[in-house]
Amino acid sequence: MIEARALTKRFGGVIALDGVSFRLARGSRTALLGANAAGKSTLLSLLSTLATPTSGEARIDGFDVAAAPPALRRRLGVMTHLPMVYEELSAEENLSLFARLYEVRDAASRIEELLRTVGLWLRRDEPAAVLSRGAHQRLAIARALIHRPDVLLFDEPETGLDEQGLV
């Protein structure tokens, strides 16, 4: 499902990722572990089409991630290290925006399901600006799941979550 061959990313003279190769089967769950600045976030940025490799290649279900075709992006659920929610919008409005972008059928039902799952249903109408860091994290998780993606790419999804948020 996901394959990388000699994947390298440089930022100027700094090598952030150096010749990484691996293969992950469909349905597998994999965690990246390593020290700060080891290249974990860089790898996820490449796989999620948010950055392009300096050299090498990566494919997800046959799609070249460097080409970033819309058909691939629709299959990815991505959560970056920073939640990056629209703070002027409510939790419900944040999800509604992405539901429209992904053309989610029965969006209202899906939004309610996800907000209940992440524990934000009762706060759905509040501007995201008043929500805690943990609530932003929960909202970002729901956003990554809104369109029922085939592949989830999460960068530090537990940051800011309390024990209840880890269930």
Side-chain angles (χ1 to χ4, degrees):
M1 172 84 168
I2 301 176
E3 183 176 5
R5 282 186 242 136
L7 201 55
T8 299
K9 180 64 176 176
R10 289 185 178 88
F11 295 99
V14 177
I15 299 172
L17 204 64
D18 191 13
V20 172
S21 298
F22 63 89
R23 180 178 284 174
L24 301 174
R26 183 178 309 279
S28 64
R29 295 178 185 181
T30 302
L32 297 175
L33 303 174
N36 290 341
K40 301 177 299 293
S41 293
T42 299
L43 175 60
L44 289 173
S45 291
L46 296 173
L47 293 176
S48 64
T49 76
L50 297 174
T52 56
T54 304
S55 63
E57 74 170 350
R59 294 187 169 279
I60 297 179
D61 209 20
F63 291 100
D64 179 355
V65 299
L72 171 59
R73 287 189 170 174
R74 288 188 164 282
R75 299 180 69 188
L76 302 177
V78 178
M79 181 182 167
T80 60
H81 174 63
L82 298 174
M84 300 190 320
V85 300
Y86 290 98
E87 294 203 350
E88 66 279 5
L89 300 179
S90 70
E92 189 169 30
E93 290 168 333
N94 266 277
L95 293 186
S96 182
L97 171 64
F98 283 87
R100 283 194 305 275
L101 290 172
Y102 283 109
E103 300 173 344
V104 174
R105 292 186 183 150
D106 197 15
S109 174
R110 180 68 175 156
I111 290 166
E112 180 176 349
E113 171 192 6
L114 288 169
L115 288 175
R116 286 186 185 281
T117 298
V118 300
L120 292 175
W121 179 248
L122 297 179
R123 301 190 72 191
R124 67 188 176 275
D125 295 323
E126 296 177 34
V130 304
L131 300 175
S132 70
R133 169 69 162 98
H136 281 196
Q137 197 76 346
R138 291 169 191 240
L139 182 55
I141 291 168
R143 182 184 61 215
L145 298 172
I146 190 74
H147 59 296
R148 294 179 176 88
D150 296 323
V151 176
L152 296 174
L153 300 170
F154 283 7
D155 192 352
E156 300 191 34
E158 296 177 354
T159 301
L161 292 182
D162 55 16
E163 188 174 317
Q164 179 186 3
L166 299 176
V167 178

Tab-separated table of all heavy atoms in Angstrom, residues 62-109:
chain	number	residue	atom	x	y	z
A	62	GLY	N	-0.013	2.810	-5.470
A	62	GLY	CA	0.362	3.022	-6.867
A	62	GLY	C	0.488	4.475	-7.281
A	62	GLY	O	1.047	4.778	-8.331
A	63	PHE	N	-0.014	5.415	-6.492
A	63	PHE	CA	0.068	6.831	-6.824
A	63	PHE	C	1.408	7.406	-6.375
A	63	PHE	O	1.821	7.211	-5.228
A	63	PHE	CB	-1.041	7.633	-6.128
A	63	PHE	CG	-2.422	7.357	-6.630
A	63	PHE	CD1	-3.258	6.511	-5.923
A	63	PHE	CD2	-2.892	7.967	-7.788
A	63	PHE	CE1	-4.551	6.266	-6.366
A	63	PHE	CE2	-4.180	7.726	-8.238
A	63	PHE	CZ	-5.013	6.869	-7.530
A	64	ASP	N	2.064	8.143	-7.235
A	64	ASP	CA	3.305	8.830	-6.903
A	64	ASP	C	2.959	10.043	-6.041
A	64	ASP	O	2.252	10.945	-6.486
A	64	ASP	CB	3.997	9.269	-8.187
A	64	ASP	CG	5.303	10.013	-7.966
A	64	ASP	OD1	5.663	10.299	-6.804
A	64	ASP	OD2	5.969	10.326	-8.976
A	65	VAL	N	3.461	10.076	-4.809
A	65	VAL	CA	3.096	11.175	-3.903
A	65	VAL	C	3.641	12.516	-4.379
A	65	VAL	O	3.049	13.561	-4.083
A	65	VAL	CB	3.519	10.899	-2.438
A	65	VAL	CG1	2.830	9.666	-1.894
A	65	VAL	CG2	5.009	10.799	-2.295
A	66	ALA	N	4.749	12.519	-5.128
A	66	ALA	CA	5.309	13.778	-5.626
A	66	ALA	C	4.375	14.438	-6.635
A	66	ALA	O	4.326	15.659	-6.738
A	66	ALA	CB	6.681	13.552	-6.236
A	67	ALA	N	3.621	13.643	-7.367
A	67	ALA	CA	2.668	14.185	-8.332
A	67	ALA	C	1.419	14.722	-7.642
A	67	ALA	O	0.707	15.559	-8.196
A	67	ALA	CB	2.279	13.112	-9.352
A	68	ALA	N	1.156	14.253	-6.421
A	68	ALA	CA	0.037	14.708	-5.591
A	68	ALA	C	-1.293	14.785	-6.345
A	68	ALA	O	-1.963	15.799	-6.327
A	68	ALA	CB	0.362	16.062	-4.958
A	69	PRO	N	-1.681	13.702	-6.997
A	69	PRO	CA	-2.953	13.757	-7.730
A	69	PRO	C	-4.132	13.867	-6.766
A	69	PRO	O	-4.096	13.327	-5.655
A	69	PRO	CB	-2.979	12.428	-8.477
A	69	PRO	CG	-2.119	11.520	-7.674
A	69	PRO	CD	-1.053	12.391	-7.068
A	70	PRO	N	-5.171	14.586	-7.174
A	70	PRO	CA	-6.357	14.708	-6.324
A	70	PRO	C	-6.932	13.357	-5.892
A	70	PRO	O	-7.428	13.217	-4.776
A	70	PRO	CB	-7.355	15.475	-7.203
A	70	PRO	CG	-6.489	16.254	-8.139
A	70	PRO	CD	-5.294	15.386	-8.404
A	71	ALA	N	-6.832	12.359	-6.767
A	71	ALA	CA	-7.352	11.028	-6.422
A	71	ALA	C	-6.619	10.450	-5.215
A	71	ALA	O	-7.217	9.741	-4.405
A	71	ALA	CB	-7.226	10.085	-7.615
A	72	LEU	N	-5.329	10.736	-5.085
A	72	LEU	CA	-4.586	10.279	-3.916
A	72	LEU	C	-4.965	11.097	-2.691
A	72	LEU	O	-5.227	10.542	-1.624
A	72	LEU	CB	-3.073	10.381	-4.156
A	72	LEU	CG	-2.199	10.143	-2.923
A	72	LEU	CD1	-2.440	8.751	-2.329
A	72	LEU	CD2	-0.733	10.350	-3.249
A	73	ARG	N	-5.003	12.386	-2.819
A	73	ARG	CA	-5.308	13.249	-1.671
A	73	ARG	C	-6.664	12.924	-1.054
A	73	ARG	O	-6.840	13.022	0.146
A	73	ARG	CB	-5.245	14.709	-2.080
A	73	ARG	CG	-3.819	15.162	-2.285
A	73	ARG	CD	-3.740	16.630	-2.470
A	73	ARG	NE	-2.336	17.045	-2.435
A	73	ARG	CZ	-1.943	18.263	-2.678
A	73	ARG	NH1	-2.830	19.195	-2.947
A	73	ARG	NH2	-0.669	18.557	-2.638
A	74	ARG	N	-7.612	12.530	-1.863
A	74	ARG	CA	-8.943	12.168	-1.345
A	74	ARG	C	-8.880	10.910	-0.484
A	74	ARG	O	-9.758	10.663	0.314
A	74	ARG	CB	-9.921	11.943	-2.488
A	74	ARG	CG	-10.325	13.211	-3.180
A	74	ARG	CD	-11.446	12.939	-4.168
A	74	ARG	NE	-12.086	14.161	-4.555
A	74	ARG	CZ	-12.972	14.825	-3.831
A	74	ARG	NH1	-13.322	14.378	-2.669
A	74	ARG	NH2	-13.505	15.936	-4.264
A	75	ARG	N	-7.867	10.099	-0.671
A	75	ARG	CA	-7.750	8.830	0.063
A	75	ARG	C	-6.947	8.970	1.348
A	75	ARG	O	-6.835	8.025	2.107
A	75	ARG	CB	-7.108	7.800	-0.854
A	75	ARG	CG	-7.984	7.573	-2.100
A	75	ARG	CD	-7.412	6.585	-3.026
A	75	ARG	NE	-7.498	5.286	-2.376
A	75	ARG	CZ	-6.945	4.194	-2.859
A	75	ARG	NH1	-6.255	4.244	-3.966
A	75	ARG	NH2	-7.058	3.061	-2.217
A	76	LEU	N	-6.356	10.159	1.576
A	76	LEU	CA	-5.525	10.379	2.744
A	76	LEU	C	-6.255	11.161	3.829
A	76	LEU	O	-6.922	12.140	3.546
A	76	LEU	CB	-4.261	11.168	2.356
A	76	LEU	CG	-3.347	10.581	1.297
A	76	LEU	CD1	-2.201	11.530	1.015
A	76	LEU	CD2	-2.840	9.213	1.721
A	77	GLY	N	-6.070	10.729	5.062
A	77	GLY	CA	-6.496	11.496	6.226
A	77	GLY	C	-5.231	11.950	6.919
A	77	GLY	O	-4.436	11.126	7.369
A	78	VAL	N	-5.014	13.249	6.967
A	78	VAL	CA	-3.752	13.784	7.456
A	78	VAL	C	-3.983	14.667	8.678
A	78	VAL	O	-4.879	15.499	8.693
A	78	VAL	CB	-3.048	14.609	6.354
A	78	VAL	CG1	-1.754	15.223	6.858
A	78	VAL	CG2	-2.799	13.749	5.119
A	79	MET	N	-3.145	14.449	9.673
A	79	MET	CA	-3.131	15.309	10.848
A	79	MET	C	-1.683	15.698	11.093
A	79	MET	O	-0.852	14.844	11.391
A	79	MET	CB	-3.689	14.573	12.056
A	79	MET	CG	-3.711	15.423	13.284
A	79	MET	SD	-4.330	14.439	14.651
A	79	MET	CE	-3.883	15.524	15.978
A	80	THR	N	-1.385	16.984	10.920
A	80	THR	CA	-0.029	17.465	11.141
A	80	THR	C	0.223	17.679	12.629
A	80	THR	O	-0.700	17.624	13.439
A	80	THR	CB	0.208	18.778	10.375
A	80	THR	OG1	-0.723	19.755	10.826
A	80	THR	CG2	0.048	18.575	8.871
A	81	HIS	N	1.468	17.946	12.966
A	81	HIS	CA	1.841	18.140	14.370
A	81	HIS	C	1.023	19.261	15.014
A	81	HIS	O	0.592	19.145	16.161
A	81	HIS	CB	3.336	18.432	14.469
A	81	HIS	CG	3.788	18.778	15.847
A	81	HIS	ND1	3.706	17.892	16.893
A	81	HIS	CD2	4.295	19.919	16.360
A	81	HIS	CE1	4.156	18.480	17.994
A	81	HIS	NE2	4.513	19.695	17.683
A	82	LEU	N	0.787	20.344	14.288
A	82	LEU	CA	-0.049	21.433	14.782
A	82	LEU	C	-1.464	21.228	14.260
A	82	LEU	O	-1.656	20.981	13.067
A	82	LEU	CB	0.505	22.781	14.312
A	82	LEU	CG	1.903	23.126	14.813
A	82	LEU	CD1	2.398	24.407	14.160
A	82	LEU	CD2	1.918	23.252	16.326
A	83	PRO	N	-2.470	21.351	15.124
A	83	PRO	CA	-3.848	21.064	14.693
A	83	PRO	C	-4.358	21.960	13.566
A	83	PRO	O	-5.137	21.545	12.739
A	83	PRO	CB	-4.678	21.270	15.959
A	83	PRO	CG	-3.727	21.190	17.081
A	83	PRO	CD	-2.395	21.629	16.553
A	84	MET	N	-3.929	23.204	13.524
A	84	MET	CA	-4.305	24.160	12.478
A	84	MET	C	-5.804	24.168	12.188
A	84	MET	O	-6.232	23.896	11.065
A	84	MET	CB	-3.482	23.908	11.219
A	84	MET	CG	-2.008	24.063	11.455
A	84	MET	SD	-0.906	24.068	10.029
A	84	MET	CE	-1.544	22.848	8.952
A	85	VAL	N	-6.599	24.462	13.204
A	85	VAL	CA	-8.036	24.605	13.014
A	85	VAL	C	-8.342	26.071	12.720
A	85	VAL	O	-7.559	26.964	13.058
A	85	VAL	CB	-8.835	24.119	14.247
A	85	VAL	CG1	-8.557	22.647	14.520
A	85	VAL	CG2	-8.547	24.960	15.471
A	86	TYR	N	-9.464	26.325	12.094
A	86	TYR	CA	-9.913	27.693	11.859
A	86	TYR	C	-10.558	28.192	13.146
A	86	TYR	O	-11.669	27.793	13.487
A	86	TYR	CB	-10.891	27.755	10.684
A	86	TYR	CG	-10.215	27.489	9.363
A	86	TYR	CD1	-10.264	26.235	8.780
A	86	TYR	CD2	-9.504	28.494	8.717
A	86	TYR	CE1	-9.628	25.981	7.566
A	86	TYR	CE2	-8.869	28.258	7.509
A	86	TYR	CZ	-8.937	27.005	6.939
A	86	TYR	OH	-8.309	26.753	5.746
A	87	GLU	N	-9.842	29.046	13.853
A	87	GLU	CA	-10.267	29.452	15.186
A	87	GLU	C	-11.524	30.294	15.202
A	87	GLU	O	-12.253	30.298	16.191
A	87	GLU	CB	-9.119	30.150	15.915
A	87	GLU	CG	-7.985	29.188	16.182
A	87	GLU	CD	-7.097	29.614	17.327
A	87	GLU	OE1	-7.225	30.742	17.817
A	87	GLU	OE2	-6.290	28.770	17.732
A	88	GLU	N	-11.813	31.008	14.132
A	88	GLU	CA	-13.020	31.835	14.091
A	88	GLU	C	-14.276	30.999	13.823
A	88	GLU	O	-15.391	31.464	14.025
A	88	GLU	CB	-12.884	32.955	13.057
A	88	GLU	CG	-12.799	32.482	11.612
A	88	GLU	CD	-11.413	32.004	11.162
A	88	GLU	OE1	-10.474	31.925	11.973
A	88	GLU	OE2	-11.293	31.669	9.976
A	89	LEU	N	-14.083	29.768	13.385
A	89	LEU	CA	-15.201	28.864	13.134
A	89	LEU	C	-15.427	27.965	14.342
A	89	LEU	O	-14.505	27.682	15.093
A	89	LEU	CB	-14.912	27.983	11.913
A	89	LEU	CG	-14.666	28.682	10.576
A	89	LEU	CD1	-14.376	27.655	9.497
A	89	LEU	CD2	-15.837	29.572	10.193
A	90	SER	N	-16.642	27.492	14.482
A	90	SER	CA	-16.946	26.519	15.536
A	90	SER	C	-16.403	25.154	15.122
A	90	SER	O	-16.010	24.948	13.969
A	90	SER	CB	-18.461	26.426	15.739
A	90	SER	OG	-19.059	25.802	14.611
A	91	ALA	N	-16.401	24.219	16.065
A	91	ALA	CA	-15.974	22.850	15.753
A	91	ALA	C	-16.832	22.292	14.621
A	91	ALA	O	-16.320	21.691	13.669
A	91	ALA	CB	-16.065	21.972	16.992
A	92	GLU	N	-18.135	22.497	14.722
A	92	GLU	CA	-19.047	21.996	13.689
A	92	GLU	C	-18.772	22.652	12.337
A	92	GLU	O	-18.762	21.987	11.293
A	92	GLU	CB	-20.493	22.234	14.121
A	92	GLU	CG	-21.514	21.576	13.249
A	92	GLU	CD	-22.896	21.614	13.866
A	92	GLU	OE1	-23.210	22.560	14.611
A	92	GLU	OE2	-23.671	20.687	13.594
A	93	GLU	N	-18.522	23.957	12.329
A	93	GLU	CA	-18.234	24.659	11.074
A	93	GLU	C	-16.901	24.212	10.476
A	93	GLU	O	-16.784	24.106	9.249
A	93	GLU	CB	-18.224	26.167	11.318
A	93	GLU	CG	-19.600	26.736	11.604
A	93	GLU	CD	-19.557	28.165	12.128
A	93	GLU	OE1	-18.542	28.568	12.745
A	93	GLU	OE2	-20.563	28.871	11.934
A	94	ASN	N	-15.901	23.957	11.320
A	94	ASN	CA	-14.625	23.439	10.829
A	94	ASN	C	-14.839	22.137	10.073
A	94	ASN	O	-14.346	21.959	8.956
A	94	ASN	CB	-13.652	23.209	11.995
A	94	ASN	CG	-12.729	24.366	12.244
A	94	ASN	OD1	-11.705	24.499	11.593
A	94	ASN	ND2	-13.100	25.209	13.199
A	95	LEU	N	-15.587	21.220	10.674
A	95	LEU	CA	-15.827	19.927	10.019
A	95	LEU	C	-16.722	20.079	8.798
A	95	LEU	O	-16.534	19.391	7.794
A	95	LEU	CB	-16.416	18.932	11.005
A	95	LEU	CG	-15.487	18.489	12.132
A	95	LEU	CD1	-16.147	17.385	12.951
A	95	LEU	CD2	-14.137	18.039	11.620
A	96	SER	N	-17.674	20.977	8.867
A	96	SER	CA	-18.569	21.202	7.732
A	96	SER	C	-17.789	21.692	6.507
A	96	SER	O	-18.048	21.261	5.382
A	96	SER	CB	-19.644	22.217	8.121
A	96	SER	OG	-20.532	22.410	7.065
A	97	LEU	N	-16.837	22.568	6.732
A	97	LEU	CA	-15.999	23.066	5.638
A	97	LEU	C	-15.279	21.913	4.942
A	97	LEU	O	-15.310	21.784	3.720
A	97	LEU	CB	-14.988	24.082	6.183
A	97	LEU	CG	-13.900	24.525	5.207
A	97	LEU	CD1	-14.495	25.276	4.030
A	97	LEU	CD2	-12.869	25.388	5.925
A	98	PHE	N	-14.648	21.050	5.731
A	98	PHE	CA	-13.914	19.930	5.133
A	98	PHE	C	-14.846	18.881	4.550
A	98	PHE	O	-14.507	18.243	3.548
A	98	PHE	CB	-12.921	19.356	6.139
A	98	PHE	CG	-11.708	20.221	6.257
A	98	PHE	CD1	-11.685	21.296	7.144
A	98	PHE	CD2	-10.606	20.012	5.449
A	98	PHE	CE1	-10.581	22.130	7.224
A	98	PHE	CE2	-9.493	20.837	5.519
A	98	PHE	CZ	-9.483	21.904	6.406
A	99	ALA	N	-16.007	18.718	5.118
A	99	ALA	CA	-16.997	17.800	4.541
A	99	ALA	C	-17.400	18.279	3.146
A	99	ALA	O	-17.546	17.473	2.222
A	99	ALA	CB	-18.206	17.683	5.452
A	100	ARG	N	-17.548	19.597	2.986
A	100	ARG	CA	-17.872	20.140	1.660
A	100	ARG	C	-16.706	19.935	0.698
A	100	ARG	O	-16.907	19.555	-0.461
A	100	ARG	CB	-18.236	21.623	1.757
A	100	ARG	CG	-19.633	21.865	2.285
A	100	ARG	CD	-20.104	23.305	2.064
A	100	ARG	NE	-19.227	24.321	2.608
A	100	ARG	CZ	-19.244	24.763	3.870
A	100	ARG	NH1	-20.106	24.257	4.733
A	100	ARG	NH2	-18.409	25.688	4.265
A	101	LEU	N	-15.493	20.186	1.162
A	101	LEU	CA	-14.317	20.021	0.296
A	101	LEU	C	-14.170	18.578	-0.191
A	101	LEU	O	-13.789	18.343	-1.333
A	101	LEU	CB	-13.045	20.446	1.038
A	101	LEU	CG	-12.894	21.935	1.308
A	101	LEU	CD1	-11.688	22.186	2.210
A	101	LEU	CD2	-12.772	22.716	0.010
A	102	TYR	N	-14.480	17.637	0.689
A	102	TYR	CA	-14.367	16.221	0.346
A	102	TYR	C	-15.670	15.632	-0.190
A	102	TYR	O	-15.743	14.429	-0.453
A	102	TYR	CB	-13.913	15.410	1.562
A	102	TYR	CG	-12.446	15.543	1.866
A	102	TYR	CD1	-12.014	16.244	2.986
A	102	TYR	CD2	-11.493	14.963	1.036
A	102	TYR	CE1	-10.659	16.354	3.280
A	102	TYR	CE2	-10.142	15.072	1.320
A	102	TYR	CZ	-9.730	15.768	2.436
A	102	TYR	OH	-8.397	15.876	2.719
A	103	GLU	N	-16.683	16.469	-0.342
A	103	GLU	CA	-17.979	16.040	-0.864
A	103	GLU	C	-18.535	14.848	-0.085
A	103	GLU	O	-18.960	13.840	-0.661
A	103	GLU	CB	-17.872	15.720	-2.359
A	103	GLU	CG	-17.433	16.918	-3.180
A	103	GLU	CD	-17.163	16.595	-4.640
A	103	GLU	OE1	-17.023	15.395	-4.994
A	103	GLU	OE2	-17.090	17.547	-5.427
A	104	VAL	N	-18.527	14.969	1.237
A	104	VAL	CA	-19.012	13.909	2.124
A	104	VAL	C	-20.533	13.842	2.039
A	104	VAL	O	-21.215	14.853	2.220
A	104	VAL	CB	-18.565	14.168	3.586
A	104	VAL	CG1	-19.186	13.164	4.537
A	104	VAL	CG2	-17.051	14.142	3.671
A	105	ARG	N	-21.028	12.650	1.764
A	105	ARG	CA	-22.480	12.444	1.741
A	105	ARG	C	-23.000	12.390	3.165
A	105	ARG	O	-22.329	11.878	4.051
A	105	ARG	CB	-22.817	11.151	1.023
A	105	ARG	CG	-22.505	11.229	-0.436
A	105	ARG	CD	-22.991	10.001	-1.155
A	105	ARG	NE	-22.597	10.125	-2.549
A	105	ARG	CZ	-22.335	9.114	-3.318
A	105	ARG	NH1	-22.444	7.892	-2.861
A	105	ARG	NH2	-21.975	9.308	-4.566
A	106	ASP	N	-24.189	12.903	3.377
A	106	ASP	CA	-24.810	12.935	4.694
A	106	ASP	C	-23.855	13.549	5.718
A	106	ASP	O	-23.591	12.982	6.783
A	106	ASP	CB	-25.262	11.533	5.120
A	106	ASP	CG	-26.266	11.584	6.265
A	106	ASP	OD1	-26.817	12.671	6.537
A	106	ASP	OD2	-26.468	10.538	6.905
A	107	ALA	N	-23.334	14.712	5.360
A	107	ALA	CA	-22.302	15.376	6.161
A	107	ALA	C	-22.771	15.665	7.582
A	107	ALA	O	-21.996	15.484	8.531
A	107	ALA	CB	-21.854	16.663	5.477
A	108	ALA	N	-24.004	16.105	7.758
A	108	ALA	CA	-24.488	16.448	9.110
A	108	ALA	C	-24.401	15.246	10.042
A	108	ALA	O	-23.969	15.368	11.194
A	108	ALA	CB	-25.909	16.986	9.042
A	109	SER	N	-24.779	14.098	9.544
A	109	SER	CA	-24.722	12.874	10.337
A	109	SER	C	-23.278	12.487	10.651
A	109	SER	O	-22.952	12.102	11.784
A	109	SER	CB	-25.428	11.741	9.592
A	109	SER	OG	-25.262	10.527	10.268
